[in-house]
Amino acid sequence: MPSLRSFAATDRFITEIADPATLRPGYVLIGDEIFLYDRCRKAVLSTLIPPDTRDFSLHDIDLAETSIFEALDRAQTPSLMAPFQVLFLRNLKTLYGRGSKKEEFAAIDAYFRSPNPSALILFVADHLRIPTDLRKMDYQDKDRFEKIRETLGDWCGIIELARVDESDAIKWVTTTAESRNVRFDPDAARELVDSLGADMMLIASEFEKLLLYVSAPASAAIPNNAVILSEASQTTIPPQIPVILSEASQTTVPPQIPVILSGAHSAQSKDPEESNSTTTLPSSQPPLSTQAPLPSTAVAKNRVTLGDVETMVLAAKQRSLYELTDAISAKDRPRALLLLHGLLNASDGGEDAAIGHLYMLARTFRQMLIISEKNVRDPRAIWQVLWQGFRMPPFAAEDLIKQARRYKSRRELTRAIRLVARADLELRSSPANKLLVLERLILDLSTEPKPTLYEPSHQFAMEL
């Protein structure tokens, strides 16, 4: 695989630990990109720790529970059970909390002045977020990064686990698929990365699922006109119809009919003396192995297309929904109707999946209502106002803020929620045409509300 800019730091780390001459006594893994951290950890385990001694040579230490003095003492003491020790020290932020921590950093300096050559210490600073563009790094994270570099940079190698750039993520998807003899279409790779917000852990998980989906051969196809004969059937089959014989069938098959033996027949054909089946085949009937094979679709296509991504990846389906709400908030009625039809055609249930689409619409408008009430401007602040389980995918955060700002008041968003609730009630009342209900809803949502006098109704709570 060609070297990618976003993977340069981890590639350098893997190269250094592979050569004892360049291996340093300690490293600091800075950043919250779990995919790159997992890549570094796997490289350490495969290069420095044999599997049979892993229980004695690998130590995961939480500095919130274990003092740095105890961790350094463990690294300094040679192990009698393993030739090499690796220590992952988590929660590095405890060393930079309140207080001067002079004794802790003095102990770290004393260790690295005469380190144990049979030990490797890896500090994990996953409380920092390093964006793809370092100029957009948060001020507090930048200050913490500089403190770690000043205190540990003289002794340890600094490995930046920054967020992976979208272009590098797309290249990783296509090249990794090629290395496994699967073709990944460029537009499919771009849709996969965009829909998951360039989150490499999610991309890697969905990538494996897609490769399994396109690599698994389909089951052999049974002809549409085939007849399956079950137990004790005594049926005379007309010519030119394939027959699938199951257990205990008692059928005389004409010579021109293709025969498929299943279940007990396939096993009994190997030992005729033990066969209890009374099925009789004419002497002119050719053996099973000499007959022409039936049509089969048991061939893996080994190619991932845009349609496969839209079918298998949930975030890709949600992406089209946010495009629909974008057209609705922009009051673009033709585009909104086109996106509605595309959403229905792409879903498995078609119009029968209308209730699910209404649920997602209501959820999205509720999210926009909260964003508008809390006056959220920065996508990073969304996670503070939306609770877990009610958040949108990362790729939709900025778009949803933009859509919420198009609504001038809270009244417009509550009106949209009431319209969705009314359409939901109509769909649950067995309408004559579900598509008509959805189209009318999209047209109402995409139309500027007209000022009307308030008319009291029995649905007072809903009107509020």
Side-chain angles (χ1 to χ4, degrees), residues 3 21 36 148 169 193 208 231 282 328 386:
S3 179
L36 296 181
I148 294 175
V193 173
E208 294 294 334
E231 297 181 1
I328 290 173
L386 297 180

Side-chain angles (χ1 to χ4, degrees), residues 225 236-242 254 256-258:
N225 62 338
T236 302
I237 307 300
Q240 306 303 328
I241 297 181
Q256 66 272 26
I257 298 178

Side-chain angles (χ1 to χ4, degrees), residues 326-342:
D326 179 71
I328 290 173
S329 61
K331 308 303 179 185
D332 190 347
R333 300 171 74 180
R335 184 164 72 97
L337 287 175
L338 287 175
L339 288 170
L340 171 66
H341 286 278

Side-chain angles (χ1 to χ4, degrees), residues 89-354:
L89 305 185
R90 297 183 174 276
N91 267 326
L92 184 62
K93 61 183 179 181
T94 58
L95 295 179
Y96 299 89
R98 294 181 179 179
S100 59
K101 307 289 184 181
K102 291 182 179 179
E103 296 179 358
E104 286 81 353
F105 286 109
I108 293 175
D109 290 338
Y111 171 80
F112 283 110
R113 290 182 188 278
S114 58
N116 181 6
S118 299
L120 173 65
I121 296 179
L122 296 116
F123 296 97
V124 181
D126 53 0
H127 62 288
L128 302 183
R129 185 183 187 279
I130 303 179
T132 304
D133 188 357
L134 295 179
R135 294 173 297 179
K136 298 181 180 180
M137 191 173 181
D138 186 74
Y139 177 77
Q140 290 184 349
D141 289 342
K142 187 180 296 184
D143 185 53
R144 294 167 182 167
F145 181 85
E146 292 300 328
K147 286 183 179 179
I148 294 175
R149 185 186 292 273
E150 291 172 1
T151 53
L152 298 177
D154 293 337
W155 306 109
C156 302
I158 305 296
I159 308 300
E160 300 174 2
L161 306 181
R163 293 287 176 173
V164 178
D165 185 67
E166 290 188 2
S167 59
D168 289 340
I170 294 173
K171 292 178 183 177
W172 178 86
V173 169
T174 54
T175 53
T176 306
E178 288 178 1
S179 66
R180 296 167 64 172
N181 298 323
V182 176
R183 181 188 174 189
F184 215 107
D185 290 351
D187 53 349
R190 188 176 297 106
E191 177 65 20
L192 176 64
V193 173
D194 289 345
S195 61
L196 296 175
D199 189 322
M200 285 302 300
M201 281 300 291
L202 294 177
I203 291 173
S205 176
E206 297 295 337
F207 174 80
E208 294 294 334
K209 184 170 69 174
L210 285 167
L211 259 60
L212 181 63
Y213 174 69
V214 301
S215 301
S219 58
I222 297 176
N224 293 330
N225 62 338
V227 176
I228 301 177
L229 301 181
S230 60
E231 297 181 1
S233 61
Q234 301 181 6
T235 309
T236 302
I237 307 300
Q240 306 303 328
I241 297 181
V243 177
I244 300 176
L245 298 179
S246 61
E247 297 180 1
S249 60
Q250 302 176 0
T251 306
T252 301
V253 184
Q256 66 272 26
I257 298 178
V259 177
I260 305 172
L261 300 181
S262 66
H265 279 285
S266 58
Q268 292 164 0
S269 60
K270 299 178 183 179
D271 193 356
E273 297 179 358
E274 299 179 1
S275 175
N276 295 325
S277 173
T278 58
T279 303
T280 57
L281 297 178
S283 58
S284 58
Q285 176 71 38
L288 181 63
S289 59
T290 61
Q291 296 190 28
L294 291 175
S296 175
T297 59
V299 177
K301 62 179 183 178
N302 288 338
R303 179 187 177 188
V304 180
T305 63
L306 179 60
D308 296 330
V309 175
E310 293 176 346
T311 301
M312 299 298 295
V313 182
L314 177 61
K317 298 180 181 179
Q318 293 178 345
R319 186 179 183 86
S320 57
L321 174 74
Y322 291 114
E323 292 176 355
L324 173 61
T325 55
D326 179 71
I328 290 173
S329 61
K331 308 303 179 185
D332 190 347
R333 300 171 74 180
R335 184 164 72 97
L337 287 175
L338 287 175
L339 288 170
L340 171 66
H341 286 278
L343 195 63
L344 293 176
N345 292 333
S347 60
D348 297 333
E351 295 182 14
D352 295 332

Side-chain angles (χ1 to χ4, degrees), residues 386-404:
L386 297 180
W387 54 93
Q388 188 174 4
F390 191 63
R391 296 168 181 168
M392 72 287 295
F395 70 86
E398 189 172 351
D399 292 338
L400 209 59
I401 293 176
K402 187 187 302 181
Q403 295 174 27

Side-chain angles (χ1 to χ4, degrees), residues 53-67:
T53 63
R54 193 161 295 176
D55 293 337
F56 306 101
S57 56
L58 177 62
H59 306 281
D60 286 292
I61 299 176
D62 190 348
L63 293 179
E65 301 174 355
T66 306
S67 66

